[in-house]
Amino acid sequence: MTVSRALRDPDKVSAKTLTKIREVVDRLGYVPDPAASALAAGKTNVIGVIVPSVTNNVFSDVMRGIYEAAEGSKWQIQLGNSRYSPLEEESLVRTFLSQRPAGLVLSGLDQSEDTARLLERADCRIVQIMECGPAPYDMMVGFSHVEASAAATRHLLAAGYRRPGYIAARLDPRSQRRLAGFRGEAEKAGVFDAGRIVTTPRPSTVTLGCELVADLLSKAPETDAILCNNDDLALGALFECQRRGIRVPDQMGICGFNDLEMMAAANPPITSVRTFRLAMGRDAFRMLTGALAGIEPEQPVVDLGYEVVARGSTARNGQG
Amino acid sequence: MTVSRALRDPDKVSAKTLTKIREVVDRLGYVPDPAASALAAGKTNVIGVIVPSVTNNVFSDVMRGIYEAAEGSKWQIQLGNSRYSPLEEESLVRTFLSQRPAGLVLSGLDQSEDTARLLERADCRIVQIMECGPAPYDMMVGFSHVEASAAATRHLLAAGYRRPGYIAARLDPRSQRRLAGFRGEAEKAGVFDAGRIVTTPRPSTVTLGCELVADLLSKAPETDAILCNNDDLALGALFECQRRGIRVPDQMGICGFNDLEMMAAANPPITSVRTFRLAMGRDAFRMLTGALAGIEPEQPVVDLGYEVVARGSTARNGQG
DNA sequence: TTGTATGCGTTATCAA
DNA sequence: TTGATAACGCATACAA
């Protein structure tokens, strides 16, 4: 029928026929069958998104950015949860690809070899998010975790702290790079001490932040500042210090990562590294759908940067 | 081919043919096309899930429950974000239904009339989550928000607080029922005062918790306890009290709702009403897929209950 | 600008 | 137990 044309490319149909078709469509409550469309066209309007976690605030902000950008468009977002497992990610990529998606959004740079092979052969557009790196499969939008945490470290040093420690949970690749950023900068300043690094494979929570600080202080009581791998840990660190009567920021500086909303509300407000998660989701969607519409991005890799937001938790009065 | 049978119903094919088919499938890397399957069979393995927010911790826990339950199964989760809008919800339901999903998971009881009509006619199984109510479209798993917040109110009264206030943000239907639960119980005890209720349509954040408390205290400085519509607000309330030098729990009791993990880590730990969000997601998935497999639930409506978790923020020493 | 024929890859029906 | 055939509803290519 001409109906198919009318619905997808109204310009190619005369105005008269168009109105007639629309009238009938309304009356019958006709809705196109996406399965039939997918089968005939050999492609879909599905954009697959794979994130390591659906509960982590960081990724839910990114997801929100994607969903908001997709709102009202013809694109269907399909979300996969890899639970930080490269194997689950691979399985999700396989499932998604079998659906002939128009595009795929992946997190990070550290796909398994098999996944990488699948992606290189895939005939859909791909955006990697969360990080910036040298060799995108296709496109990329994120920031440098190494640089961001190096900047946070410099902030601590500039505030006068001299015996900084680091706490981290679930050492996924991005966490590791943040730790590396801290280490590099601390070594450069001659204040690095591996004894002031405490990590655990457990997923990060506020409670875990308390525990890691307890650990850190028992091993290295001289610690005068803590760079936390994320904001949950930072909040826990603040609570634990307060419970122990350790004055923040005077006796102990605390810095988080991501700058979740609650950081500014804490007492004292907690210094953190702001990242642009909503924008990341939105931009990833726009790059992808733009490319699908034939508009190639000016740069395949977009660096959204970061921003150290200094607050009370590192506003030291005296000096170290 | 016999191949289709072999893959979906291996019992109907002889062992010999089966192994032969599997060998060829492996060798060729054959993957079935879900679009063709959907078209031919007139149904899919898609389970549509519509939540009001992808960033709210409450829903991300539910989502996690669903995704974890679905992990490795044949069921495809498709997530929609209605952003607390009945209209967006309706549009999502329409989109999902056009895909002939096997099932649908919806949040709450307050769909628009048009949505309700769509759902009643839909030929797929439906589970409503987050609440319990009398007339499910099909199945339901949640709890009573009225009862839960009434219980929290009783806890405050039992702890000796006599001038309780209530703060709430974004008055979605569930928030309103929680407020109603507070009001009912406070009136029953003769301690209700509408002047101690502060609400706002803005989405809830920790910062907003601070602001609402500031508002509440300026209007009703006699307030000696705050029941918060959720945990973000409760955390903000704690921070704000601490900033003002108001002693928690002695001068002010604070109670949250949902019992997010951070409540237990705070200083003092914050009393909250625990809800079983992970279980809710998991059970909703299981009820749905069970029903699809022909196993009807014993009860169409499952009440998961709640639990008031008393902590330091309402452990008053003296009395009110 | 509109209509017609053909095929997408699978499932369902029926026959062998 | 297996094979053949006809849909499923749309898009593509081509003809009118």
Side-chain angles (χ1 to χ4, degrees), chain A residues 33 237 241 247 251 259 267:
Chain A
D33 180 336
C241 287
R247 293 190 313 278
Q251 289 177 272
D259 199 30
N267 178 40

Side-chain angles (χ1 to χ4, degrees), chain A residues 2 5 13-14 17 39-40:
Chain A
T2 315
R5 260 191 292 265
V13 173
S14 76
T17 329
L39 182 57

Side-chain angles (χ1 to χ4, degrees), chain A residues 258-272:
Chain A
N258 276 319
D259 199 30
L260 299 187
E261 174 270 330
M262 62 184 178
M263 293 292 101
N267 178 40
I270 302 174
T271 296
S272 193

Side-chain angles (χ1 to χ4, degrees), chain B residues 2 5 11-14 17 39-40:
Chain B
T2 315
R5 260 191 292 266
D11 299 341
K12 300 216 162 189
V13 172
S14 76
T17 330
L39 181 58

Side-chain angles (χ1 to χ4, degrees), chain A residues 23 62 71 83 98 126 138 169 173 180 184 195 201 208-209 212 278 310 314 319:
Chain A
E23 192 267 330
V62 174
E71 169 69 24
R83 300 197 282 174
S98 80
I126 298 172
D138 184 357
L208 192 55
L212 292 177
L278 209 72
T314 55
Q319 62 118 20

Side-chain angles (χ1 to χ4, degrees), chain B residues 104-140:
Chain B
L104 233 40
V105 177
L106 302 172
S107 302
L109 318 170
D110 304 270
Q111 285 72 31
S112 76
E113 276 187 35
D114 286 351
T115 306
R117 210 166 311 128
L118 286 172
L119 293 173
E120 278 151 14
R121 288 182 197 158
D123 76 329
C124 70
R125 302 305 299 255
I126 298 171
V127 185
Q128 286 160 276
I129 58 173
M130 302 312 296
E131 297 194 65
C132 278
Y137 298 111
D138 184 357
M139 295 173 282
M140 205 177 253

